[in-house]
Amino acid sequence: MDSVATPPTAFDISGKTSDPNTGLRGNYAAMAADFTVQQHMSDYSDAGQARWLRLVERQLALIPGRACDEFLNAVLGNPALDMRHGIPNFADVNVALKAATNWQLVAVPGLLPDDVFFTHLANRRFPVTVWLREESEFDYIVEPDIFHDFFGHVPMLFTPIYADHLEAYGHGALKAKRLGGLDWLARLYWYTIEFGLIREHGKVLAYGAGVLSSPKELIYALESDIPARLPFDVMTSMRSAFLIDDVQTTYFVLDSLQQLRDDTAPDFTPLYEVLRAEMA
Ligand SMILES: [Fe+2]
């Protein structure tokens, strides 16, 4: 397995840059202290809106029979998540999201410093990148854009147990940063929130945003004979480095979202001590 272990939210996974002040892709000039910006719907061009619709239609055609019930029910059954009418206005979605799980979307210019990202999660705010990928990036993009962030992440925020877990993860990540355990906890995020699989109705399905927003990885993760699909285990996932720029070699399969909540509820402090001792 490749040895890349950078937290998925950290600054340095961006390979392309456009902001002259931060060196990051995205416009960080007008952001607030918490890295949030205004989402201006007029900034999206007709070509961008058309690209969004093509991205959405392609992915909607793939998710039946591959996405978990919670994701499918949200995307197909919740009018607030009807993405076939154009790029979503976060303010509109927030009305329904607040009523469902008391989460809110916040618009951000792009990748965030890890402590900023985790502070948002701990306060039930999910950062969503405002910009959309270019046409040349239609099939593949390294940085999270609005399609990845919204299509992949937002539907699951409507499920209460998942929403509660993500807040707890934010608190846990801030604690991990203090304890020097963030690289390990970032792997947990990667193998669950981004690339997690779950068994429902006797079938392995996807709930991770990185899988659900990628046509290639959605099919590969569920249907290829190449990757390993292991029962979810906290310590095994934290011992496993991950790939940022290719499909994963290993996926972890939950028995239920309750398992994710329960298995990550204990104090991780002794787990970090075990992992640290293994590295000594
Ligand atoms: Fe993501």
Side-chain angles (χ1 to χ4, degrees):
M1 185 177 291
D2 193 277
S3 60
V4 176
T6 309
T9 53
F11 272 136
D12 57 359
I13 73 168
S14 175
K16 300 175 183 175
T17 63
S18 64
D19 187 284
N21 297 312
T22 63
L24 293 168
R25 183 167 181 176
N27 180 4
Y28 290 75
M31 67 183 183
D34 63 358
F35 280 67
T36 59
V37 296
Q38 295 295 313
Q39 184 194 26
H40 299 295
M41 299 307 295
S42 58
D43 287 351
Y44 300 115
S45 66
D46 290 345
Q49 290 282 3
R51 191 178 312 127
W52 165 270
L53 292 178
R54 287 163 50 222
L55 286 163
V56 167
E57 292 293 352
R58 178 174 67 172
Q59 211 63 14
L60 286 178
L62 292 174
I63 58 171
R66 296 191 177 96
C68 68
D69 282 357
E70 293 80 1
F71 185 91
L72 268 184
N73 291 341
V75 168
L76 302 180
N78 190 326
L81 286 178
D82 187 347
M83 295 176 263
R84 288 165 292 196
H85 294 302
I87 295 172
N89 182 327
F90 300 164
D92 294 341
V93 177
N94 275 340
V95 175
L97 185 56
K98 188 168 185 61
T101 58
N102 200 32
W103 270 73
Q104 293 285 268
L105 309 182
V106 290
V108 295
L111 294 168
L112 304 182
D114 50 25
D115 56 336
V116 175
F117 181 77
F118 297 134
T119 298
H120 280 305
L121 296 187
N123 289 280
R124 296 178 92 87
R125 297 188 298 263
F126 194 81
V128 179
T129 301
V130 288
W131 54 263
L132 181 67
R133 69 191 65 184
E134 299 296 331
E135 189 62 35
S136 60
E137 302 165 306
F138 191 83
D139 290 327
Y140 178 74
I141 187 168
V142 175
E143 308 90 336
D145 71 336
I146 188 173
F147 179 73
H148 165 81
D149 282 346
F150 196 96
F151 190 99
H153 285 283
V154 174
M156 290 299 291
L157 292 174
F158 281 78
T159 296
I161 193 168
Y162 179 93
D164 290 347
H165 166 73
L166 201 55
E167 179 196 343
Y169 182 90
H171 290 293
L174 292 170
K175 177 178 166 184
K177 190 174 173 72
R178 294 194 297 273
L179 296 174
L182 194 53
D183 282 354
W184 294 310
L185 205 64
R187 292 174 176 177
L188 179 69
Y189 186 97
W190 192 262
Y191 285 117
T192 56
I193 304 304
E194 292 292 353
F195 292 96
L197 305 181
I198 187 168
R199 192 177 302 279
E200 292 181 347
H201 316 299
K203 188 176 180 187
V204 175
L205 302 167
Y207 73 93
V211 182
L212 287 164
S213 63
S214 163
K216 176 184 176 185
E217 188 137 15
L218 181 57
I219 293 170
Y220 174 85
L222 296 173
E223 296 164 23
S224 170
D225 293 333
I226 297 172
R229 299 178 190 88
L230 306 179
F232 175 69
D233 176 75
V234 167
M235 285 297 274
T236 306
S237 69
M238 291 202 293
R239 288 188 178 109
S240 303
F242 55 74
L243 303 173
I244 284 179
D245 56 359
D246 200 354
V247 291
Q248 303 303 302
T249 57
T250 302
Y251 300 91
F252 290 91
V253 184
L254 287 174
D255 290 326
S256 66
L257 290 175
Q258 186 68 50
Q259 183 195 6
L260 179 62
R261 189 87 173 98
D262 293 345
D263 288 3
T264 57
D267 179 9
F268 274 32
T269 306
L271 305 186
Y272 301 143
E273 290 171 0
V274 170
L275 292 163
R276 193 171 290 114
E278 289 175 358
M279 294 180 66

